Amino acid sequence: MEHKHLIKICRDVLDLNRNKDHTMPAPHLYPHQWLWDSCFTAIGIRHFDTDRAIREIDSLLEGQWSNGMIPNMIFDGAKRYRADRNVWLSKSSPYSPDHVATSGITQPPLVAEAVMRIGEKLSKTKRVAFYKKVVPKIAFYHEWLMTERDPHEEGLTLQIHPWETGLDNSPPWMGQLHEHSKPWWIALLEKLHLDGLVSLFRRDTRYLPPGERITNTEALIIFDMVRRFKRKSYDITKILHRSLFCIEDVGFNSILARNNSILIDLYKEARMKMPEGLGQKIEKQSSSLQKCWDAQTGFFFSRDFITHDLLKEPTIASLLPLYSGAITKDQANRIVECLMDRKSFGLNHPIPSVPMNGANFDEVRYWQGPSWVNTNWLMIDGLKRYGFHKEASMITEKTLELVNLHGPYEYFSALHGNPLGAADFSWTAALTIDLLSD
Ligand code: GLC
């Protein structure tokens, strides 16, 4: 297909999914605004409508809590979504905004990346004005992550819910979830084979085959976690007190490290002074990624916040330190070696979210095997910055080939390339435009 034609298809999807100031990831399956989705989407939209890209970010920042947190979801206010809003009931926290209902957890902090990329498309004056407006809000968010989410000042931020990583059902998280977070009543329902009742309330399995999504038991556990957080008014001290588990996710922390360094650049570009102490925190966060490195296996892994044990199961998150820019050249070489390994990550349609030889590889299940365009985009960016241009071009070509053949689907089989998940998915469309415009 001609580039022009593919760009047109992707633009049409982004127009179709538009809802006032923001873009829904996929109107039926995901009808609200999501944090990292909006960042990826704005990165594509900036190529044809900078005002709309700015509005996408402004609308996301409208959801920011008064303690700095940016929530992973900002809910559509329509009556038909009342149940979604009530599950979270963000107003049970004194920090939630009055004018919009949101979730009470966050998602990978990619706002600085999106803002910098939009800035590249603006005139100098417009760029500085845009940065001046949004940069303090991003800094406030990063400060929140590096204080509230790092209570022991270890440099790594912790995540309290699998959705915070963006890789919802990634195996190390699901393993921990089953081990530490299953209350007796869910175990009982499972034993009585009544866990299927939850499918009455699930939106995803209404539109997609259950084999592609989390299991009913996992859905119940996830729902129960939200119930607990809400009961504790989203107060992190209360949540951590007697918490069953939380994880310092290596993917999340890698994305934070890169976005921290972009934040420093944004301050410079806008000729603004960084808040006192932020620079030191950023430095510490970046160097702390090394705590996730396992020299024995040659992988980065997420860490259990309580025991400090590494969760030694490689996934796409193990490769994301390449995007951080905070690792050594040797470590980058090792990641590239894994990317090319035909038995693990180097499949026909890369990059699988779990390596093929991983214990929990599943060709079609969401973040347990399929390839995703957003993580490919992050890896392509990291590859380029570490000088691996040949590999970056290869992943770019293979990514575009999939979208060209099937359209902008949510994810694809890494083995056979067949499309999976939602059709007409916003970040796939937006990042395809970005990769084609490069
Ligand atoms: C799924 C993805 C998550 C994304 C959301 C909206 O839950 O796992 O990363 O933000 O959908 O697209």
Side-chain angles (χ1 to χ4, degrees), residues 25-26 30 34-37 72 107-108 163 165-169 213 366-367 372 374 410 425 427:
Y30 309 112
W34 266 260
L35 195 169
W36 77 333
D37 294 67
N72 78 321
Q107 230 184 5
W163 290 359
T165 68
L167 318 182
D168 302 8
N169 65 335
R213 310 300 284 191
Y366 209 14
W367 291 103
W372 291 71
N374 67 328
E410 189 180 3
F425 192 66
W427 80 40

Side-chain angles (χ1 to χ4, degrees), residues 278-349:
L278 182 58
Q280 283 98 303
K281 281 199 190 111
I282 288 179
E283 230 176 276
K284 183 162 182 182
Q285 197 270 335
S286 163
S287 59
S288 296
L289 264 190
Q290 292 301 333
K291 295 178 183 166
C292 297
W293 173 247
D294 180 44
Q296 219 171 14
T297 54
F299 275 113
F300 283 93
F301 294 115
S302 299
R303 201 171 79 153
D304 183 320
F305 170 69
I306 296 155
T307 62
H308 281 186
D309 290 339
L310 293 180
L311 306 174
K312 295 191 182 180
E313 191 169 358
T315 69
I316 184 72
S318 301
L319 310 185
L320 285 176
L322 192 76
Y323 170 74
S324 76
I327 59 172
T328 65
K329 186 73 186 164
D330 281 351
Q331 289 170 329
N333 281 332
R334 164 67 185 153
I335 289 178
V336 173
E337 185 185 298
C338 296
L339 264 183
M340 297 299 140
D341 177 2
R342 305 283 302 166
K343 291 192 292 302
S344 61
F345 286 100
L347 304 189
N348 286 344
H349 305 281

Side-chain angles (χ1 to χ4, degrees), residues 182-193 195 217 220-221:
K182 197 194 289 182
W184 65 267
W185 62 272
I186 295 181
L188 184 66
L189 283 180
E190 201 182 11
K191 210 163 152 202
L192 300 173
H193 301 290
D195 50 317
T217 302
L220 278 168
I221 299 175

